[in-house]
């Protein structure tokens, strides 16, 4: 009797496997037929079914799936079905989370729709996945030119200004300020000044996704990624102990360009003083 039950289960599993293979085969044929007729939406749906039923085929159908996705996305874009377009890319990235071509294409759609900061994130990821991907690099530099304010370049090349900041931070740290919060870190230069000056704990927040990613790269290039905690947050949203363990003893910021009031730096500094900075005894 036990042998009979085992045989039944084996036959049942074999039957299910045969049905799966049959469905996958038919769906692949249907997808190909739809592509020939330029019915990209239906072809995309068939490929989704295939990849969910047979993930072992991911490598085999990857290029055809990408082609189908991009063609269907073009149609959705022309029809202004923006949410459907984004849903398709989210589904595709669930199946191929480390595909630089899909990431780059998603970024291109976001950029054309005006979501430049979000687009920069996808371009950056594509470049990280494949540093030799020329299209993604070009796209990332292009969107960075839109997003990285020109005053960043001016200030980074102002040696006198930077030296003044460095000396001021060194004086504060040497006077006992061992924990530092850098508001609107930008490239991360002030955070690195603080760490080099001897601060024990350095935290930096940056709201812009592009500048946050740039700061991560700069900090990593200086071998400080484990010593400076970068937060993709507005300073007003920082909570203790959720984001930083305790109040800091020094707050630094370089957000003093023409956008002083528009960027809310005054409110940020008041918030930092009241909630994030150690109060004098």
């Amino acid at each position: 009797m036990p042998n009979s039950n085992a045989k039944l289960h084996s036959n049942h599993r074999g039957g299910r496997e045969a049905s799966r293979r049959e469905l996958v085969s038919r769906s692949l044929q249907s997808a190909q037929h739809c592509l020939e007729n330029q019915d990209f939406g239906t072809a995309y749906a068939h490929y989704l079914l295939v990849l969910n039923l047979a993930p072992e085929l991911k490598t085999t159908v990857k290029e055809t799936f990408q082609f189908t996705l991009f063609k269907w996305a073009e149609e959705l874009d022309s029809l202004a079905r923006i949410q459907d377009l984004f849903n398709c890319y989210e589904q595709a990235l669930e199946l191929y989370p480390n595909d630089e071509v899909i990431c780059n294409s998603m970024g291109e759609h976001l950029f054309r729709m005006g979501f430049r900061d979000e687009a920069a994130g996808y371009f950056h990821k594509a470049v990280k996945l494949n540093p030799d991907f020329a299209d993604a690099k070009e796209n990332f530099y292009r969107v960075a030119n839109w997003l990285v304010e020109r005053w960043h370049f001016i200030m980074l090349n102002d040696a006198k200004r930077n030296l003044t900041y460095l000396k001021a931070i060194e004086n504060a740290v040497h006077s006992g300020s061992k924990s530092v919060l850098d508001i609107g870190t930008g490239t991360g230069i002030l955070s690195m000044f603080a760490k080099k000056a001897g601060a024990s704990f350095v935290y930096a927040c940056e709201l812009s996704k592009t500048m946050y990613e740039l700061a991560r790269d700069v900090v990593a290039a200086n071998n400080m990624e484990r010593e400076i905690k970068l937060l993709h947050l507005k300073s007003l949203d920082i909570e203790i102990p959720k984001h930083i363990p305790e109040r800091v003893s020094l707050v630094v910021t370089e957000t003093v360009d023409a956008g002083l009031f528009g960027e809310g730096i005054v409110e940020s500094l008041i918030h930092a003083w009241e909630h994030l900075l150690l109060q004098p005894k």
Side-chain angles (χ1 to χ4, degrees), residues 88-103:
C88 286
Y89 272 96
E90 287 175 4
Q91 292 167 338
L93 286 170
E94 285 180 9
L95 292 166
Y96 296 96
N98 296 317
D99 188 291
E100 70 273 19
V101 178
I102 295 177
C103 286

Side-chain angles (χ1 to χ4, degrees), residues 59-265:
T59 303
T60 305
V61 304
K62 180 179 177 179
E63 289 188 9
T64 311
F65 175 76
Q66 287 175 343
F67 172 80
T68 306
L69 167 66
F70 300 156
K71 286 295 186 181
W72 178 224
E74 287 176 9
E75 282 192 25
L76 292 173
D77 192 9
S78 68
L79 295 169
R81 292 172 56 182
I82 306 307
Q83 190 56 55
D84 288 336
L85 185 153
F86 287 149
N87 288 342
C88 286
Y89 272 96
E90 287 175 4
Q91 292 167 338
L93 286 170
E94 285 180 9
L95 292 166
Y96 296 96
N98 296 317
D99 188 291
E100 70 273 19
V101 178
I102 295 177
C103 286
N104 183 64
S105 180
M106 174 68 155
E108 289 175 337
H109 281 287
L110 286 165
F111 184 77
R112 284 196 294 271
M113 293 173 192
F115 300 107
R116 292 169 180 159
D117 208 29
E118 293 82 356
Y122 281 97
F123 293 145
H124 184 264
K125 182 178 179 180
V127 173
K128 284 287 189 182
L129 289 167
N130 182 1
D132 297 323
F133 189 7
D135 287 350
K137 285 197 292 186
E138 182 180 342
N139 284 332
F140 181 68
Y141 294 144
R142 179 167 53 126
V143 75
N145 283 332
W146 284 92
L147 294 172
V148 179
E149 295 86 345
R150 291 296 179 264
W151 55 265
H152 273 293
F153 300 111
I154 297 171
M155 290 196 300
L156 286 172
N157 287 286
D158 189 338
K160 183 177 179 180
R161 176 192 181 94
N162 292 335
L163 183 60
T164 302
Y165 267 102
L166 174 60
K167 288 187 177 299
I169 291 171
E170 284 178 341
N171 289 338
V173 172
H174 295 164
S175 298
S177 297
K178 295 299 184 183
S179 55
V180 180
L181 172 64
D182 180 5
I183 295 177
T185 192
T187 58
I189 188 171
L190 298 188
S191 295
M192 292 187 291
F193 283 170
K195 195 62 197 178
K196 287 181 178 179
S200 302
F201 305 100
V202 180
Y203 312 99
C205 64
E206 176 57 56
L207 182 60
S208 165
K209 178 69 172 173
T210 303
M211 293 308 301
Y212 167 75
E213 295 290 355
L214 179 59
R216 287 182 61 185
D217 286 345
V218 172
V219 168
N222 285 273
N223 299 314
M224 291 187 180
E225 65 269 30
R226 295 184 179 179
E227 301 175 336
I228 298 173
K229 182 176 181 180
L230 288 166
L231 303 167
H232 182 215
L233 284 173
K234 191 175 182 179
S235 62
L236 295 171
D237 296 329
I238 296 176
E239 299 177 17
I240 297 171
K242 182 178 179 181
H243 301 114
I244 61 177
E246 57 188 4
R247 288 173 179 257
V248 298
S249 51
L250 176 67
V251 171
V252 297
T253 184
E254 208 172 8
T255 315
V256 290
D257 72 312
L260 174 64
F261 297 99
E263 294 187 13
I265 191 63

Side-chain angles (χ1 to χ4, degrees), residues 44-55:
Y44 175 76
H46 280 298
Y47 277 119
L48 280 185
L49 177 62
V50 168
L51 290 167
N52 278 286
L53 286 175

